[in-house]
Amino acid sequence: FSSPGNLGEVAPEIKASERRTAVAIADLEWREMEGDDCEFRYGDGTNEAQDNDFPTVERSRLQEMLSLLGLEMYQVQKLSLQDSLQISFDSMKNWAPQVPKDLPWNFLRKLQALNADARNTTMVLDVLPDARPVEKESQMEEEIIYWDPADDLAADIYSFSELPTPDTPVNPLDLLCALLISSDSFLQQEIVLKMALCQFALPLVLPDSENHYHTFLLWAMRGIVRTWWSQPPRGVGSFREDSVVLSRAPAFAFVRMDVSSNSKSQLLNAVLSPGHRQWDCFWHRDLNLGTNAREISDGLVEISWFFPSGREDLDIFPEPVTFLNLRGDIGSHWLQFKLLTEISSAVFILTDNISKKEYKLLYSMKESTTKYYFILSPYRGKRNTNLRFLNKLIPVLKIDHSHVLVKVSSTDSDSFVKRIRAIVGNVLRAPCRRVSVEDMAHAARKLGLKVDEDCEECQKAKDRMERITRKIKDSDAYRRDELRLQGDPWRKAAQVEKEFCQLQWAVDPPEKHRAELRRRLLELRMQQNSHDPSSGVQEFISGISSPSLSEKQYFLRWMEWGLARVAQPRLRQPPETLLTLRPKHGGATDLGEPLWPEPLGVEHFLREMGQFYEAESCLVEAGRLPAGQRRFAHFPGLASELLLTGLPLELIDGSTLSMPVRWVTGLLKELHVRLERRSRLVVLSALGVPGTGKSTLLNTMFGLRFATGKSCSPRGAFMQLITVAEGFSQDLGCDHILVIDSGGLIGGALTSAGDRFELEASLATLLMGLSNVTVISLAETKDIPAAILHAFLRLEKTGHMPNYQFVYQNLHDVSVPGPRPRDKRQLLDPPGDLSRAAAQMEKQSDGFRALAGLAFCDPEKQHIWHIPGLWHGAPPMAAVSLAYSEAIFELKRCLLENIRNGLSNQNKNIQQLIELVRRL
């Protein structure tokens, strides 16, 4: 450049803040060349003294915000998902944040519970601080917003207003950005997933105000799967389920140029909200704290979607549509704006003023094929100037007068929203660009943005996953050919072990039969042990053996998604279709057949490892294999490490409906070694018929990862470990909580179903017998599965009765105002046919009295919860009901209170649990 001042004119596409830094460097070099001490003026009219401190000030703002929120300690060692899920004193309190350092933890706690108020950063102070009245704040904001846009110094003053003090609320978007910057990849993923369930707009590009090294959050969105129905009306053919990262849809971006008296976010919310029920997907200025100045979140790009329900009376658009929102002015965030123009079918630009500077910015987009629409509020700006520049832009951006919309205070909002929807609809009907989030990430890389998924550990894990999944052409064939120890060999071995175990309880078992069973079992185990792990299983073992914890976690997540992609098409059916796969009223169905198709998952590879360990252990116990020749003794240690990282592990095998006792006890022994002195456990189980919402309940209550939805849920019972914070473990009386989800084991079989009912009752007895606390999830309070009643009778005789809670989940209504007396009375009524039948199965002489004598039939000892419906609105655009979230929190608080007060069955350590597993 001939002089540093020319840089602003020569390179308008350079982001303003980056241009200022480049100008400062160019200025120093220029002055050294000229040997001059004079003060140079930059192209935008500011001088060196004004700009030299710019990078330093911006760096300190991020650090000061992190310090204010208590997150500065997590900049090197990032906050992890396990950190955020620990049970602490705060888990039992519905507390409100009092200081800014409470805000991140309050946000995470509420988000885990899918609470619609999670973004509220209001603090409750003991003494109200001296603060300006709200009216004055609004007036001050008005004055700042409508300063002359040509005055860059004024814009800088506004941008760098004083940071929030401990008495000043923090803008929710600043809190989100600070928390994401301080979190590791897996906590970021959890935050984004929970935000998606709450129907919040999601962060797509995370700004780095310190280094201008913005991050595209592709990995963070990998776990989001959405379902929708395309029009015409619902049917199996119109149902879709896909990852938001992979599915392609037209994208529409909303941005602000300079200043706008119209709110982008409010407009987007109105466009996305059906009928008159507006959902605040995007946080906006009229919400509580929405007017607080953003300190570090300008440059944030948010994303949200519309998904059709297949109902013409509800659907705004006939197909999925992506909406993008850039926070801040496009002149200051040119890189993000450039990305949006490359991935969007249309860009809506909201502005009051079009000045020469803005005209030059838009002129540089003349080669773009994207459609542009302007939303103006001319009474706030310079009307004649706007018209002059718009006339110049018409041939450049290939627009006409229909691309210019005017919205002033007198404009009817509903009509204006309909006009925006009509424009979007017209673009959809014409040939237009359709992009996935992966496509967006590709465009972001080309522009120089960092993509979170591009780290070495993530890519190595992905490559390993692809080496496994590329060999899977048919899931059933793969299980038969590659997972050879499962299927018939394991099913036969499980049946022999069951017979052998039952024989131990016989009064005078024939020794000949016992010897025959032992011989058959050894033959089967020797047959299993003669195999070597297949190449896919060996690759899997290598993946979970990685010395890098992050690489191991990346690998497991990649495996979950990779295996889901190769699932059979028959699994992708509407929920109402899947419901028909389960026999109504617990009809007699062969227990060997799944209640629904079971997809190939990570648990199948772990099952295979478990069977190698089981076969080898059985042969060592029988003296058929020297202990020194064991090859698989380290497998339980690998599995216990996965349990510690938060992966649910299978406790009861879903294919054979039996527990691999050697594998489970070996795993628990390794867990005991790794936990050392912190091995006191409380076992909490959730039982119920599939479809009653028990897995969702556990996930919402504790932030767990149990599979939900019949299209992806394995059949077996799974366990997951939750850590209790060290400072709270003494008070709670345990160091960890082991949570067990019964999955699809309890199918609701009637007593007339014979063997099937007996097996379900035995499995219910096993799970409840292991538990200190049991939650029984019911779709209707009168519909207590007979197998669970049977388990109660067995446990009553043994004296081992867990603390129990009956949870009635309203699966249809939007809300339940309170307990229904009719429902409660039904639970208290004398036992009916199911109860009598269950008592007869137990051969009680007086079945009616035996059941009536159980504690849960005592009106004074009722533990009954009525949980409102999960969704507020009609899926797939429904948000989680606030009443559901609050009810789940109260249930969680009650469960923890019962554990702390010793109302649950006596807490146990891992060694005692191992012995209990063997006995049961």
Side-chain angles (χ1 to χ4, degrees):
F1 302 107
S2 57
S3 70
N6 291 345
L7 183 58
E9 299 291 326
V10 174
E13 73 278 3
I14 298 178
K15 186 179 167 190
S17 54
E18 294 168 341
R19 187 173 72 241
R20 293 172 182 275
T21 306
V23 166
I25 295 169
D27 177 47
L28 290 174
E29 294 174 349
W30 180 265
R31 290 172 62 175
E32 287 176 4
M33 288 167 60
E34 296 293 312
D36 196 342
D37 291 328
C38 68
E39 178 185 74
F40 283 88
R41 287 275 171 179
Y42 299 156
D44 56 6
T46 55
N47 61 26
E48 176 193 358
Q50 292 168 344
D51 275 52
N52 269 355
D53 291 338
F54 184 89
T56 306
V57 172
E58 200 168 12
R59 279 197 299 272
S60 67
R61 291 193 83 70
L62 176 60
Q63 293 305 319
E64 286 182 37
M65 177 60 72
L66 294 171
S67 177
L68 180 73
L69 296 172
L71 296 173
E72 70 276 15
M73 68 183 74
Y74 298 110
Q75 297 318 294
V76 178
Q77 185 69 35
K78 298 291 185 180
L79 187 64
S80 73
L81 177 58
Q82 295 305 101
D83 293 335
S84 71
L85 298 181
Q86 281 193 0
I87 302 292
S88 65
F89 286 103
D90 293 334
S91 303
M92 299 179 64
K93 297 187 299 183
N94 194 9
W95 59 281
Q98 296 183 345
V99 295
K101 291 185 178 181
D102 292 339
L103 292 175
W105 304 103
N106 181 65
F107 175 78
L108 287 172
R109 179 180 63 83
K110 285 191 171 181
L111 197 62
Q112 174 189 307
L114 304 179
N115 191 306
D117 286 339
R119 296 177 295 186
N120 190 336
T121 58
T122 303
M123 291 177 286
V124 178
L125 304 173
D126 295 332
V127 181
L128 288 175
D130 254 348
R132 292 174 300 183
V134 174
E135 295 79 16
K136 288 189 178 180
E137 287 187 0
S138 301
Q139 182 182 356
M140 180 178 176
E141 183 199 16
E142 198 83 0
E143 292 170 3
I144 293 172
I145 286 180
Y146 299 111
W147 270 338
D148 187 345
D151 187 347
D152 281 346
L153 178 58
D156 281 355
I157 291 172
Y158 175 57
S159 176
F160 295 98
S161 56
E162 290 185 14
L163 273 166
T165 66
D167 295 338
T168 307
V170 175
N171 188 290
L173 295 174
D174 286 341
L175 172 62
L176 174 63
C177 289
L179 191 53
L180 289 171
I181 288 170
S182 306
S183 303
D184 69 11
S185 298
F186 306 99
L187 181 54
Q188 284 182 351
Q189 200 173 78
E190 185 71 8
I191 289 171
V192 171
L193 176 61
K194 297 291 187 183
M195 289 179 69
L197 289 172
C198 292
Q199 292 289 7
F200 296 161
L202 309 180
L204 182 70
V205 177
L206 181 64
D208 181 350
S209 60
E210 183 171 300
N211 303 304
H212 305 293
Y213 198 37
H214 313 302
T215 304
F216 188 97
L217 299 178
L218 175 61
W219 170 261
M221 298 209 180
R222 279 284 176 193
I224 303 173
V225 175
R226 298 298 295 266
T227 59
W228 67 92
W229 285 261
S230 57
Q231 294 177 0
R234 292 185 175 208
V236 175
S238 66
F239 177 76
R240 291 289 307 278
E241 179 180 270
D242 205 354
S243 163
V244 297
V245 166
L246 300 172
S247 58
R248 287 188 167 89
F252 295 84
F254 286 68
V255 301
R256 172 170 63 83
M257 186 168 68
D258 196 21
V259 293
S260 172
S261 49
N262 294 311
S263 167
K264 301 189 313 300
S265 301
Q266 277 182 297
L267 180 59
L268 276 164
N269 291 339
V271 169
L272 281 166
S273 300
H276 295 285
R277 184 189 67 84
Q278 179 160 319
W279 176 253
D280 293 314
C281 177
F282 292 90
W283 193 264
H284 58 84
R285 64 174 67 156
D286 283 355
L287 290 174
N288 184 27
L289 306 172
T291 57
N292 283 69
R294 294 192 297 269
E295 304 296 339
I296 63 171
S297 54
D298 272 349
L300 173 70
V301 177
E302 296 171 290
I303 187 171
S304 188
W305 293 267
F306 171 81
F307 290 101
S309 64
R311 293 174 51 182
E312 292 185 15
D313 58 327
L314 289 178
D315 290 342
I316 302 167
F317 306 109
E319 61 176 293
V321 183
T322 304
F323 291 91
L324 300 156
N325 183 16
L326 170 62
R327 300 288 182 169
D329 169 36
I330 62 173
S332 302
H333 307 287
W334 186 252
L335 193 62
Q336 288 94 317
F337 178 59
K338 178 75 171 163
L339 172 65
L340 295 183
T341 62
E342 293 194 5
I343 62 179
S344 301
S345 298
V347 176
F348 291 82
I349 301 173
L350 284 76
T351 186
D352 291 349
N353 305 309
I354 303 177
S355 65
K356 185 177 181 180
K357 183 173 69 173
E358 280 73 41
Y359 169 76
K360 289 182 177 180
L361 291 175
L362 293 173
Y363 185 84
S364 67
M365 307 306 298
K366 60 185 178 182
E367 303 298 330
S368 173
T369 58
T370 302
K371 298 180 188 297
Y372 293 91
Y373 293 86
F374 289 87
I375 299 176
L376 303 177
S377 182
Y379 299 123
R380 293 280 190 175
K382 302 174 181 178
R383 187 172 185 174
N384 292 333
T385 306
N386 287 346
L387 290 173
R388 187 171 71 251
F389 283 118
L390 277 173
N391 284 328
K392 289 183 178 181
L393 287 171
I394 283 175
V396 173
L397 299 181
K398 304 174 186 65
I399 62 175
D400 56 38
H401 293 289
S402 68
H403 289 233
V404 180
L405 293 79
V406 176
K407 186 178 188 299
V408 292
S409 56
S410 59
T411 304
D412 180 65
S413 296
D414 290 342
S415 299
F416 190 80
V417 168
K418 287 179 181 176
R419 191 173 175 190
I420 297 292
R421 289 176 177 171
I423 292 172
V424 172
N426 289 335
V427 174
L428 294 178
R429 283 188 287 273
C432 64
R433 178 187 294 146
R434 283 172 165 76
V435 293
S436 66
V437 176
E438 273 194 346
D439 297 332
M440 297 178 189
H442 185 62
R445 288 187 186 98
K446 287 185 175 180
L447 290 172
L449 272 75
K450 172 186 173 186
V451 178
D452 60 351
E453 208 170 85
D454 291 348
C455 69
E456 183 183 356
E457 290 177 323
C458 182
Q459 290 304 307
K460 284 174 66 177
K462 181 181 180 181
D463 292 343
R464 191 182 297 276
M465 174 274 291
E466 289 176 342
R467 289 197 292 271
I468 296 173
T469 56
R470 72 167 60 105
K471 296 180 180 179
I472 305 175
K473 308 302 180 187
D474 176 81
S475 295
D476 293 334
Y478 187 84
R479 290 185 220 192
R480 183 178 61 252
D481 299 335
E482 297 290 315
L483 306 177
R484 295 184 289 265
L485 270 62
Q486 297 172 57
D488 282 342
W490 168 217
R491 193 171 288 111
K492 290 176 182 177
Q495 183 60 37
V496 171
E497 287 195 330
K498 181 180 179 181
E499 290 181 33
F500 191 80
C501 187
Q502 289 174 336
L503 207 60
Q504 290 180 316
W505 296 96
V507 179
D508 188 20
E511 188 58 39
K512 185 177 180 181
H513 185 44
R514 188 199 296 267
E516 174 62 19
L517 288 176
R518 190 180 291 112
R519 184 191 64 78
R520 283 167 52 197
L521 179 61
L522 283 173
E523 280 184 1
L524 290 167
R525 291 305 190 186
M526 288 179 71
Q527 179 186 341
Q528 285 183 309
N529 195 58
S530 66
H531 293 287
D532 290 320
S534 65
S535 59
V537 173
Q538 289 181 30
E539 194 73 64
F540 179 84
I541 293 167
S542 298
I544 64 172
S545 302
S546 170
S548 166
L549 177 60
S550 294
E551 187 177 330
K552 188 185 304 183
Q553 291 176 297
Y554 278 123
F555 172 68
L556 289 168
R557 296 289 172 93
W558 277 120
M559 281 295 294
E560 290 173 13
W561 303 324
L563 293 172
R565 296 300 296 176
V566 299
Q568 298 97 321
R570 63 195 173 107
L571 296 176
R572 302 190 181 278
Q573 302 176 55
E576 53 264 36
T577 305
L578 289 162
L579 283 172
T580 64
L581 295 171
R582 179 167 56 87
K584 293 182 179 180
H585 310 300
T589 301
D590 182 10
L591 259 182
E593 294 298 318
L595 298 179
W596 57 85
E598 188 182 29
L600 181 64
V602 169
E603 68 274 5
H604 290 90
F605 289 84
L606 288 166
R607 265 184 213 167
E608 190 77 357
M609 290 173 60
Q611 284 308 297
F612 275 111
Y613 180 82
E614 283 269 331
E616 189 177 74
S617 298
C618 181
L619 296 180
V620 170
E621 290 170 11
R624 298 294 183 91
L625 180 72
Q629 294 181 17
R630 298 195 65 161
R631 297 181 293 163
F632 312 119
H634 63 293
F635 281 5
L638 295 176
S640 68
E641 289 173 4
L642 301 185
L643 191 63
L644 286 170
T645 61
L647 182 75
L649 294 186
E650 200 170 43
L651 178 67
I652 295 178
D653 190 312
S655 63
T656 62
L657 301 182
S658 61
M659 178 188 284
V661 177
R662 296 177 185 85
W663 171 245
V664 171
T665 55
L667 188 158
L668 292 174
K669 285 178 183 177
E670 290 293 335
L671 185 65
H672 180 67
V673 170
R674 282 160 174 75
L675 293 178
E676 296 178 345
R677 297 179 181 178
R678 301 204 70 218
S679 62
R680 293 177 303 162
L681 276 182
V682 162
V683 181
L684 186 154
S685 61
L687 278 73
V689 174
T692 55
K694 62 186 180 307
S695 302
T696 301
L697 182 146
L698 292 174
N699 293 347
T700 306
M701 197 182 306
F702 296 112
L704 304 178
R705 296 181 54 215
F706 292 120
T708 59
K710 296 179 182 60
S711 63
C712 61
S713 295
R715 192 182 181 190
F718 284 76
M719 57 183 175
Q720 191 170 345
L721 196 67
I722 310 171
T723 302
V724 178
E726 290 197 35
F728 186 50
S729 60
Q730 195 62 37
D731 191 38
L732 193 63
C734 63
D735 303 304
H736 294 84
I737 297 176
L738 188 69
V739 182
I740 301 174
D741 178 7
S742 68
L745 296 181
I746 312 300
L750 298 176
T751 53
S752 58
D755 290 344
R756 175 180 170 182
F757 168 79
E758 173 59 31
L759 183 53
E760 283 192 15
S762 299
L763 293 169
T765 306
L766 169 61
L767 294 179
M768 291 173 65
L770 292 175
S771 305
N772 303 94
V773 181
T774 296
V775 174
I776 298 166
S777 182
L778 306 168
E780 298 175 5
T781 50
K782 61 183 180 181
D783 186 23
I784 302 177
I788 292 177
L789 292 174
H790 175 87
F792 267 114
L793 286 169
R794 280 189 173 184
L795 293 171
E796 180 78 1
K797 290 194 299 182
T798 65
H800 178 98
M801 184 67 75
N803 177 268
Y804 48 84
Q805 307 291 328
F806 288 95
V807 177
Y808 163 57
Q809 298 211 56
N810 179 12
L811 303 177
H812 305 291
D813 300 336
V814 172
S815 62
V816 175
R820 298 177 178 179
R822 177 178 55 82
D823 294 334
K824 187 168 182 176
R825 186 167 61 250
Q826 180 67 45
L827 188 62
L828 297 173
D829 279 347
D833 294 338
L834 283 182
S835 306
R836 288 192 176 91
Q840 289 168 9
M841 291 287 291
E842 283 299 315
K843 300 179 177 59
Q844 299 276 2
S845 58
D846 191 344
F848 182 95
R849 288 186 181 177
L851 191 60
L854 289 176
F856 69 78
C857 292
D858 184 350
E860 300 302 318
K861 296 182 180 179
Q862 284 294 318
H863 307 283
I864 305 168
W865 295 81
H866 294 268
I867 306 295
L870 172 64
W871 300 115
H872 180 66
M877 292 303 292
V880 173
S881 158
L882 181 60
Y884 176 86
S885 173
E886 290 175 343
I888 294 297
F889 174 78
E890 284 303 313
L891 174 59
K892 175 183 178 179
R893 186 191 57 76
C894 174
L895 294 175
L896 294 176
E897 198 69 58
N898 288 347
I899 292 171
R900 183 165 73 169
N901 294 335
L903 297 181
S904 61
N905 205 29
Q906 185 177 7
N907 300 346
K908 52 184 76 74
N909 59 37
I910 294 179
Q911 294 282 30
Q912 292 170 325
L913 179 63
I914 291 170
E915 184 55 36
L916 193 56
V917 166
R918 287 195 179 113
R919 286 196 292 116
L920 286 169

